[in-house]
Amino acid sequence: HRLAMTIQIMARGPRRAEILIHDAIGEDFFGDGLTSKKFAADLAALGKLDEITVSINSPGGAVFDGIAIYNALRAHGARIEVIVDGLAASIASVIAMAGDRITMRAGAMMMIHDPWTIALGNAEEMRDVADQLDRVARNIATIYAARARKPLDEIRELMRATTWFDGPGAVESGFADAAEGPTTAAEQHRAAFAAFAARVRERNANTTPLQIAASLRSIEDIAMPKPVQTPAAPAQDPAAVLAAERERRQQIRERFGRFAAEYRDLLDECLDDTSVTPDMAASRLLDQLGSRHQPLATPTSASDVDDFVSAASDALLLRAGIRVERPHAAARDVATMSLTDVAMVCLDRDPRGRSAIMRRERGDVFRAALTTSDFPAILEDAIHKAVRRGFETEPASHRAWVRVQPVTDFRDQHRPILGSAPELKPVAERGPYELGAFDEDSTAYRVEKFGRMIDLSWEALKNDTLGIFLARIPPALGQAARRREADAVYDLFSENGGSGPTMQDTNPLFDVAHANIADAQAAFNAAALSAGRLLLRKMTAVGGGLLSLVPRYLIVPAELETDAEMLIAAATVHRTGLDANEEPGTASRQSTTSATTPEWIARLQLVVEPRLADDAFYLVCESSQIDHCELGVLDENVSGPTIVQEETFDIDSMRWKVRHVFRPAFLDWRGIVKVPLASA
């Protein structure tokens, strides 16, 4: 019965249970890990038991969660059988000490060390933290000493030295009672030789000649011959065979746990081979983990890597003074680190990075860190977010009224313009319906590519000036991308001497043939707005039929901004007083001032654009009523420009390419009207 992701408890009769602790101890930044609260609750739910088997494969974690789990097991009353499947390190080794009997599986390891922590504060606070660590270390040492029957001072020396035990070493030192695996010297040599041959063959699978690979497999078979399998007697009951197979497959899946997705091929192989027992499957998984994963402080999934990259990139932005809407939970911890420190963490997390650098000189640190997968991803993510931040904060009046449409490629984007529905005609009783059709028009456009390239020198990285770079250059590029969009949109208004782009009927956007340009108005006032609204109301669809469009946006040049605000404010009814006939405290109110401008003007959304000439204003309806202006944006650029990163070869620098692909186009003239001003 699965009670939690990190602790699985399977009933084996009324008084026995098995607990699997295959995770870090305590909750980490990402909400993973086994807490003492969860463990105690699940343990209590089992009720009274005579025997509990605890299987451990954990790198350790939070000290006090581990001590609480140790005490919960010791206080339970059942006989505790501890089995170290792969690793019992740090505080997980303390949990193992709760066993009445401790067994080390073949290849399993145990590690003990002094506790450590991270702290901030003044000298007195640091001395207090050090004293606390000493007290915690002594408490842990007493647990080890009681189990190993060794003097406390000897245990403390082992802890200070960060001591690793294999199975026989743990038994010899008193930290375990039994160790599985080869027992004689000859068997140990054969196992080691076979493992070496297997490693050579697997690591060079793509380059080893077939004859040598076959020889290596032969060496494995000779060194560790496979046991002869005695055929089992055929089962008499088919239902029992099926039930046993289901149980085998279920236990194998439970042994894989959260590694099932990452090692899907290995899991399928174990499930399909009926000779593989759950213990054999667990052993194969441990072999894979040992060859591909680090035992401590190493991410075990792509999501862990993504979390680290996200936290580090958010931290760099915070250090640069760039506001992050929802920073990663661990970002503020990483923000105290220098860029060199972040690079060193990336090296420590990646085996390629550790092997690529042997000295701690700052230039070598950055060169080596760029060979890892994390550090370039952190830089690229930080640049991308900084550009996106600039893109989002740049004023963009066109995004208020233009419809943004994602497109998938650079081909012509064809847009149909539907006319009004066919007129409904009377139908006699039992008479036929006359077929009708929509009138339609069409137009097309294609997106264009815009971009720029920037770089950051190695000297800047070495001087840790990435924060200044992030705070200035990438946000400015994001702002430039947004401004380029606005330029492209409002440049359309100035084409053909201010009449707008040529439409599909060969007439300019604003033309008397389109009935969307009003007579010049003497002043910018309610009467001028009314003239524009009248034109929108009388727009007819393709093929005929009134559209009766409603103005939603008032687009004005910067010179008319204050006048437009006063017009809209005058149309708003201000409710500031109580009705003279009502008692205080009642909900009803009346206006002490009355509107002097039509109320429909108050519902207009004001759009101020300094790029427009001061000789006209515009009224636009919602794009949901009719298509007017569309901003086609390549799907990868809908929320901002794309960032592409590369390391340059001819000079020492990192280079980023900023790309933004879009194109605005007026699809229909019916949704927008121009009102010229004679007084301009």
Side-chain angles (χ1 to χ4, degrees):
H1 176 56
R2 182 183 293 273
L3 296 181
M5 182 178 70
T6 55
I7 174 169
Q8 304 168 25
I9 301 174
M10 294 157 283
R12 292 184 175 178
R15 302 176 68 85
R16 301 175 63 193
E18 180 179 352
I19 299 175
L20 272 64
I21 302 179
H22 283 195
D23 209 337
I25 308 302
E27 187 173 76
D28 61 15
F29 285 119
F30 315 118
D32 296 329
L34 174 62
T35 64
S36 58
K37 180 179 179 180
K38 176 62 177 172
F39 182 88
D42 289 342
L43 187 62
L46 292 175
K48 184 174 177 59
L49 296 168
D50 295 323
E51 182 179 326
I52 298 175
T53 300
V54 181
S55 297
I56 298 177
N57 181 30
S58 171
V63 168
F64 294 111
D65 277 281
I67 291 176
I69 293 172
Y70 164 83
N71 287 322
L73 289 170
R74 295 300 299 166
H76 188 273
R79 184 179 187 280
I80 308 298
E81 179 83 15
V82 170
I83 298 176
V84 180
D85 286 327
L87 176 65
S90 190
I91 199 63
S93 66
V94 175
I95 296 175
M97 298 300 105
D100 295 298
R101 178 178 172 82
I102 304 172
T103 301
M104 303 286 290
R105 294 280 195 200
M109 300 287 286
M110 183 180 292
M111 185 271 281
I112 67 173
H113 69 154
D114 268 352
W116 60 273
T117 188
I118 299 174
L120 297 173
N122 57 34
E124 289 299 324
E125 290 169 329
M126 292 299 178
R127 277 188 282 270
D128 183 55
V129 170
D131 291 340
Q132 292 177 24
L133 285 174
D134 286 338
R135 287 191 289 271
V136 171
R138 284 194 296 271
N139 290 339
I140 292 175
T142 59
I143 296 175
Y144 289 138
R147 186 62 177 76
R149 295 183 176 86
K150 289 182 178 293
L152 194 61
D153 291 343
E154 186 176 340
I155 295 295
R156 290 294 293 118
E157 288 301 320
L158 292 173
M159 292 173 63
R160 291 189 187 96
T162 305
T163 305
W164 288 80
F165 301 105
D166 57 10
V171 173
E172 181 181 353
S173 299
F175 288 91
D177 300 295
E180 297 179 355
T183 55
T184 68
E187 289 175 331
Q188 292 177 10
H189 287 307
R190 283 199 300 271
F193 193 61
F196 172 78
R199 285 197 302 272
V200 172
R201 178 172 55 81
E202 292 172 1
R203 292 177 182 176
N204 300 277
N206 296 327
T207 58
T208 303
L210 295 178
Q211 296 90 340
I212 298 178
S215 299
L216 289 172
R217 280 191 290 269
S218 299
I219 291 173
E220 295 176 55
D221 294 337
I222 295 170
M224 293 294 289
K226 296 178 175 55
V228 178
Q229 299 290 333
T230 303
Q236 299 298 318
D237 184 4
V241 174
L242 290 175
E245 174 61 12
R246 282 195 297 267
E247 178 66 15
R248 183 189 73 87
R249 296 172 73 89
Q250 178 62 24
Q251 289 191 22
I252 289 175
R253 291 190 182 96
E254 289 173 345
R255 293 295 179 93
F256 271 71
R258 63 178 178 143
F259 296 108
E262 186 177 359
Y263 294 92
R264 185 72 212 180
D265 293 341
L266 179 60
L267 174 60
D268 290 342
E269 179 184 329
C270 294
L271 291 175
D272 295 340
D273 188 348
T274 57
S275 66
V276 175
T277 66
D279 286 342
M280 293 168 62
S283 179
R284 292 186 183 183
L285 175 60
L286 288 174
D287 289 341
Q288 290 288 328
L289 289 172
S291 62
R292 294 177 56 186
H293 292 264
Q294 297 298 315
L296 294 173
T298 301
T300 56
S301 67
S303 62
D304 291 341
V305 174
D306 292 341
D307 277 330
F308 174 72
V309 170
S310 180
S313 63
D314 285 350
L316 293 178
L317 294 174
L318 292 172
R319 287 182 56 203
I322 298 176
R323 185 169 175 268
V324 180
E325 289 293 339
R326 289 181 293 275
H328 193 279
R332 300 199 182 276
D333 298 310
V334 185
T336 61
M337 302 167 60
S338 68
L339 186 60
T340 305
D341 294 332
V342 173
M344 290 305 306
V345 171
C346 294
L347 291 173
D348 289 339
R349 289 164 54 88
D350 194 313
R352 293 173 300 171
R354 284 195 294 274
S355 62
I357 180 169
M358 300 301 294
R359 296 181 290 115
R360 296 292 180 174
E361 196 270 322
R362 293 172 72 91
D364 287 345
V365 168
F366 291 117
R367 293 177 194 277
L370 284 167
T371 67
T372 69
S373 59
D374 287 350
F375 194 64
I378 290 169
L379 293 179
E380 184 174 7
D381 194 50
I383 298 292
H384 178 77
K385 290 176 179 176
V387 171
R388 182 70 56 82
R389 180 65 179 166
F391 184 79
E392 293 171 350
T393 56
E394 176 69 12
S397 66
H398 65 287
R399 286 280 182 134
W401 62 277
V402 171
R403 185 180 68 184
V404 177
Q405 179 63 42
V407 300
T408 58
D409 51 45
F410 289 84
R411 292 176 294 185
D412 284 346
Q413 306 297 316
H414 295 276
R415 296 289 183 265
I417 302 172
L418 294 179
S420 59
E423 180 185 0
L424 299 184
K425 296 186 176 181
V427 179
E429 182 179 356
R430 304 179 66 84
Y433 285 81
E434 185 177 338
L435 182 65
F438 280 91
D439 294 307
E440 64 177 81
D441 198 353
S442 66
T443 186
Y445 69 92
R446 64 175 59 188
V447 294
E448 296 178 286
K449 180 168 59 177
F450 302 87
R452 208 62 185 264
M453 195 156 54
I454 56 173
D455 65 9
L456 183 65
S457 69
W458 284 113
E459 289 79 4
L461 281 174
K462 290 173 66 175
N463 294 332
D464 201 4
T465 57
L466 180 63
I468 299 174
F469 174 82
L470 287 175
R472 299 291 186 270
I473 307 302
L477 286 172
Q479 293 168 338
R482 182 78 92 169
R483 287 196 300 271
R484 191 66 188 83
E485 278 188 6
D487 290 342
V489 170
Y490 292 109
D491 282 349
L492 296 175
F493 286 74
S494 62
E495 291 185 20
N496 292 318
S499 296
T502 302
M503 304 300 288
Q504 57 269 25
D505 65 349
T506 71
N507 292 314
L509 171 64
F510 303 111
D511 190 79
V512 292
H514 295 158
N516 68 343
I517 182 167
D519 295 332
Q521 301 296 304
F524 178 65
N525 52 27
L529 292 177
S530 179
R533 180 173 69 155
L534 179 62
L535 292 178
L536 275 180
R537 287 291 196 188
K538 289 191 172 184
M539 287 291 177
T540 57
V542 178
L546 285 172
L547 293 171
S548 190
L549 302 176
V550 178
R552 178 68 181 87
Y553 302 99
L554 170 59
I555 305 177
V556 301
E559 290 80 1
L560 296 179
E561 181 174 5
T562 301
D563 292 339
E565 289 174 337
M566 293 176 64
L567 266 178
I568 292 175
T572 304
V573 177
H574 302 282
R575 303 183 181 277
T576 58
L578 286 171
D579 192 322
N581 298 322
E582 292 179 350
E583 295 294 329
T586 58
S588 176
R589 289 182 178 272
Q590 74 166 10
S591 172
T592 57
T593 61
S594 59
T596 59
T597 306
E599 188 175 349
W600 69 270
I601 298 177
R603 293 192 292 270
L604 291 174
Q605 180 174 333
L606 180 61
V607 177
V608 180
E609 181 46 59
R611 294 173 177 83
L612 294 174
D614 63 353
D615 60 353
F617 67 89
Y618 306 85
L619 286 174
V620 187
C621 69
E622 287 278 10
S623 60
S624 59
Q625 283 193 285
I626 193 170
D627 294 327
H628 40 72
C629 189
E630 179 173 294
L631 179 64
V633 181
L634 198 65
D635 46 12
E636 67 181 35
N637 294 134
V638 170
S639 56
T642 300
I643 306 299
V644 181
Q645 176 177 282
E646 68 174 7
E647 181 181 2
T648 60
F649 179 78
D650 54 336
I651 58 175
D652 288 334
S653 69
M654 286 296 298
R655 184 168 290 173
W656 291 272
K657 183 167 57 181
V658 181
R659 182 175 63 235
H660 197 44
V661 182
F662 66 92
R663 171 74 180 275
F666 274 98
L667 307 181
D668 200 338
W669 58 82
R670 294 171 179 84
I672 182 171
V673 298
K674 178 178 181 179
V675 182
L677 296 173
S679 60

